[in-house]
């Protein structure tokens, strides 16, 4: 009898353990690679308020959304575009009423200090300059910054010339690293990423209207198990959270 009770207790503890662990740590946040510094600063501020520090995981939004769709455990998701959040919404993986626009951004071309400025170039001239060597950008078929970049180059009439010269990176940070290492003279990244590199300068800023607005949505996932996840989500969209994001160059959504 005592052996049966002990076995039942062990089974119960094994069922409760994952939930207990989820509450001991902070919420698990899957976020676009470009959010790394800003979200880390927000997590530090949250911890200073007496909460367990959120666990942050950064990658391309496409990769993270696929992980969520495959059943990876997480509490919050921050995408660099609406499309990957829409994909999870269609799969009914978002907690109702928790989706919100967190921040905005700008799209730029980065280059080494010796490269030509692109500020006044359009169409064929822009395409020829960018295609003079490899052009680093995140995968335009899947990763948000790559999608924005392709849309802008199409709108400006440079895409047909540039397309054969693209080096497709797995994320915007990987594209930035390619230019920093000299593997490509130019790269398309977010303004917030460009500001982080002391080796590169901004050779051009894509005009408003040349691509869809860059908006980062945030949502709690239906699979969320941490009871502080919703509190941290609300903190990020609060005035204090927005102030932290602004320090790293993000704009209001």
């Amino acid at each position: 009898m005592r052996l049966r009770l002990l076995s039942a207790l062990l089974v119960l503890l094994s069922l409760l353990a994952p939930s207990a662990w989820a509450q001991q740590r902070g919420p698990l946040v899957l976020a676009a690679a470009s959010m790394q510094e800003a979200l880390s600063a927000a997590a530090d501020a949250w911890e200073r308020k007496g909460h367990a520090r959120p666990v942050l995981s950064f990658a391309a939004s496409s990769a993270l959304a696929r992980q969520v769709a495959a059943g990876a455990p997480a509490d919050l998701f921050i995408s660099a575009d609406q499309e990957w959040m829409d994909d999870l919404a269609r799969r009914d993986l978002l907690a109702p009423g928790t989706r919100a626009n967190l921040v905005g951004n700008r799209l730029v071309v980065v280059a080494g200090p010796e490269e030509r400025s692109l500020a006044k170039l359009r169409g064929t001239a822009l395409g020829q300059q960018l295609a003079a060597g490899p052009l680093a950008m995140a995968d335009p078929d899947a990763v948000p910054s790559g999608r924005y970049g392709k849309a802008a180059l199409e709108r400006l009439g440079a895409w047909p010339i540039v397309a054969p010269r693209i080096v497709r990176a797995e994320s915007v940070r990987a594209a930035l690293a390619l230019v920093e290492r000299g593997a490509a003279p130019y790269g398309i990244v977010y303004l917030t990423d460009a500001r982080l590199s002391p080796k590169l300068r901004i050779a051009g800023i894509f005009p408003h209207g040349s691509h869809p607005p860059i908006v980062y949505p945030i949502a709690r996932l239906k699979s969320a198990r941490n009871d502080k996840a919703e509190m941290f989500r609300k903190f990020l969209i609060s005035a204090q959270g927005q102030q932290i994001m602004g320090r790293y160059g993000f704009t209001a959504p």
Side-chain angles (χ1 to χ4, degrees), residues 7-243:
S7 298
L9 180 60
L10 289 174
V11 170
L12 179 61
L13 288 174
S14 69
L15 292 174
L16 291 176
S19 178
W21 166 245
Q23 304 315 321
Q24 289 173 2
R25 63 163 174 78
L28 175 56
V29 185
L30 305 183
S34 50
M35 294 288 298
Q36 186 169 341
E37 289 74 20
L39 194 58
S40 295
D44 291 341
W46 180 250
E47 186 178 28
R48 288 194 295 270
K49 289 178 174 288
H51 305 289
R53 191 179 193 280
V55 179
L56 309 177
S57 180
F58 301 98
S61 301
S62 53
L64 296 175
R66 288 168 180 150
Q67 290 175 23
V68 173
D75 298 300
L76 298 173
F77 175 51
I78 304 174
S79 173
D81 72 356
Q82 301 285 9
E83 291 186 45
W84 284 109
M85 192 66 82
D86 289 342
D87 180 73
L88 297 186
R90 285 191 293 269
R91 298 172 188 270
D92 196 28
L93 295 176
L94 306 182
T98 65
R99 179 173 177 171
N101 291 333
L102 179 60
V103 291
N105 212 335
R106 295 292 306 274
L107 195 68
V108 305
V109 177
V110 290
E114 71 284 354
E115 301 297 338
R116 179 183 175 186
S117 173
L118 307 174
K120 298 182 180 180
L121 299 183
R122 297 289 187 275
T124 301
L126 175 62
Q128 289 176 340
Q129 185 63 33
L130 289 175
L135 174 64
M137 61 187 297
D139 185 357
D141 292 331
V143 182
S145 66
R147 287 174 169 171
Y148 293 128
K150 179 181 178 180
L153 291 172
E154 286 179 333
R155 183 69 178 268
L156 296 174
W159 178 252
I161 301 173
V162 170
R165 303 292 286 162
I166 289 173
V167 179
R168 297 175 180 233
E170 65 181 10
S171 71
V172 67
R173 288 297 172 88
L176 184 73
L178 286 171
V179 186
E180 288 180 324
R181 295 198 301 266
Y186 294 103
I188 296 177
V189 300
Y190 297 121
L191 177 61
T192 51
D193 298 295
R195 289 176 51 170
L196 296 172
S197 177
K199 299 179 181 179
L200 305 178
R201 67 183 182 87
I202 296 174
I205 300 177
F206 287 102
H208 289 294
S210 64
H211 55 78
I214 300 174
V215 178
Y216 291 60
I218 181 173
R220 180 163 50 86
L221 300 171
K222 271 191 172 181
S223 60
R225 303 180 66 179
N226 191 290
D227 61 6
K228 297 296 178 66
E230 180 62 11
M231 292 175 62
F232 185 59
R233 185 191 73 86
K234 289 181 177 178
F235 171 74
L236 291 176
I237 62 178
S238 71
Q240 184 178 356
Q242 291 292 291
Q243 184 179 39

